[in-house]
Amino acid sequence: MPIYNVYDNIDILNNIIIAEKSGKKAEDIILLETIDSTNNYIKRNFKSLSYGTVVIAENQTAGKGRLGRSFLSFNNSGIYMSIYLKALENSEASLKITAAAALIVSLAIEKCAKKSPEIKWVNDLLLENRKICGILCEGIVSPESARLEGIVLGIGINVYKPQNDFAEEIKDIAGHIEDKPCENLRNDIIAEILKGLDNLDLEDGSVLEEYRRRSFVLEKEILVLKNGESKKAKACEIDENFHLKVLYPNGTAEALSFGEVSIRI
Ligand code: BTN
């Protein structure tokens, strides 16, 4: 069911449009008005969902970010979506998916909005130095079997400037793609992301190449925040497993894997 958009009705989320443009079945695209978190929805309901199911919400009341942070949602202004994916045997591959997802979202925004977001390792997207997208990938472990049943790839994008602007505490770091609603922009971006995920080949070297090309951190002085400590470093390389190789001022090097690290410029 399309959701009526009280703010402006030219970009109403619509699963039929998304299905037509992405090639997915409309019944595999669940549109919700309000939910705590689309990731949580999939984690609660995975047993009745098939792989590839997409859950999109107009609003989240308890959106989750990486490292236990929260992720704010703005009614009618963003994209809050989660995709239920098959777990990959190789755990490195699951990690690669989240990085590749950042590239896919960046390409989708470029195609639909003609703007090119940079990727702040691992998977934040920035436009004009402000964060416009975050990605949270979580494993689903069945309580009965203790087996990894799948993964949830959650994507949050600030598409439009929120009606009441961003809260004071994030005003200087949060960005958006467009000031005002554009016809079908959210439906188009979602459809492009879904197509990108369907066509994703993790063995294709061009994914890493394009990811590096769009990197916001490479060759920059950064702050590595790990285990409550903050250390200066230079971001030198992103390796084939999407680890970030950094060099500390004392000459030691480290390959950072994501999960426990935060980067500041
Ligand atoms: C981050 O920036 O740290 C990651 C943010 C991920 C937000 C998305 S919005 C859709 C999905 N549902 C959630 O609760 N989180 C992800």
Side-chain angles (χ1 to χ4, degrees):
M1 274 283 287
I3 291 169
Y4 179 63
N5 185 335
V6 289
Y7 179 48
D8 194 306
N9 67 5
I10 64 169
D11 192 18
I12 302 167
L13 292 175
N14 184 316
N15 58 341
I16 313 283
I17 296 179
I18 296 167
E20 270 168 13
K21 294 191 177 202
S22 66
K24 282 189 95 71
K25 290 193 230 138
E27 59 266 32
D28 289 339
I29 303 173
I30 301 172
L31 260 189
L32 305 168
E33 181 68 56
T34 300
I35 192 77
D36 53 347
S37 144
T38 53
N39 272 27
N40 283 352
Y41 180 95
I42 290 185
K43 287 171 88 173
R44 281 193 298 267
N45 297 295
F46 75 93
K47 283 192 183 142
S48 60
L49 302 175
S50 46
Y51 293 125
T53 300
V54 187
V55 177
I56 306 166
E58 190 57 79
N59 196 19
Q60 296 184 120
T61 53
K64 301 185 295 181
R66 288 178 62 239
L67 308 173
R69 299 186 188 123
S70 57
F71 185 84
L72 292 176
S73 309
F74 303 92
N75 215 5
N76 304 311
S77 303
I79 292 174
Y80 312 111
M81 65 188 283
S82 300
I83 305 114
Y84 179 37
L85 299 171
K86 214 175 186 163
L88 298 160
E89 277 130 53
N90 171 352
S91 66
E92 284 291 343
S94 293
L95 299 179
K96 279 186 194 172
I97 284 192
T98 58
L103 174 62
I104 287 169
V105 177
S106 177
L107 292 168
I109 292 171
E110 186 168 272
K111 177 156 185 201
C112 304
K114 313 282 176 277
K115 293 181 183 168
S116 307
E118 293 176 287
I119 303 171
K120 184 175 153 211
W121 185 87
V122 183
N123 46 20
D124 282 350
L125 294 190
L126 307 183
L127 259 185
E128 294 166 4
N129 293 347
R130 286 162 187 263
K131 176 164 167 171
I132 57 152
C133 168
I135 296 175
L136 173 66
C137 189
E138 299 183 274
I140 302 181
V141 178
S142 154
E144 291 94 32
S145 66
R147 268 198 0 233
L148 185 64
E149 299 286 346
I151 50 180
V152 193
L153 180 68
I155 302 171
I157 310 174
N158 303 332
V159 179
Y160 302 119
K161 190 173 181 163
Q163 268 170 298
N164 298 320
D165 209 345
F166 293 108
E168 208 50 52
E169 62 270 25
I170 57 166
K171 225 174 179 162
D172 292 338
I173 48 171
H176 57 278
I177 302 172
E178 296 288 349
D179 287 339
K180 293 199 195 101
C182 306
E183 198 170 350
N184 273 327
L185 181 59
R186 292 188 301 166
N187 291 319
D188 286 347
I189 293 174
I190 294 169
E192 277 305 313
I193 293 171
L194 297 178
K195 278 201 285 183
L197 285 171
D198 271 353
N199 297 330
L200 176 64
D201 173 5
L202 288 174
E203 300 311 315
D204 178 356
S206 68
V207 174
L208 178 60
E209 218 174 280
E210 193 56 39
Y211 182 96
R212 284 179 178 144
R213 213 185 340 260
R214 286 165 186 262
S215 169
F216 178 75
V217 297
L218 279 183
E219 299 304 322
K220 287 197 174 131
E221 297 297 330
I222 60 171
L223 273 184
V224 177
L225 310 172
K226 194 175 171 185
N227 305 328
E229 259 186 60
S230 149
K231 288 201 252 174
K232 276 190 186 166
K234 183 172 179 199
C236 300
E237 200 198 324
I238 293 163
D239 72 14
E240 60 287 355
N241 290 318
F242 292 89
H243 295 164
L244 179 67
K245 291 195 169 165
V246 298
L247 187 65
Y248 295 106
N250 67 4
T252 56
E254 187 178 10
L256 303 173
S257 66
F258 28 113
E260 80 283 32
V261 177
S262 196
I263 297 294
R264 296 237 174 90
I265 304 289

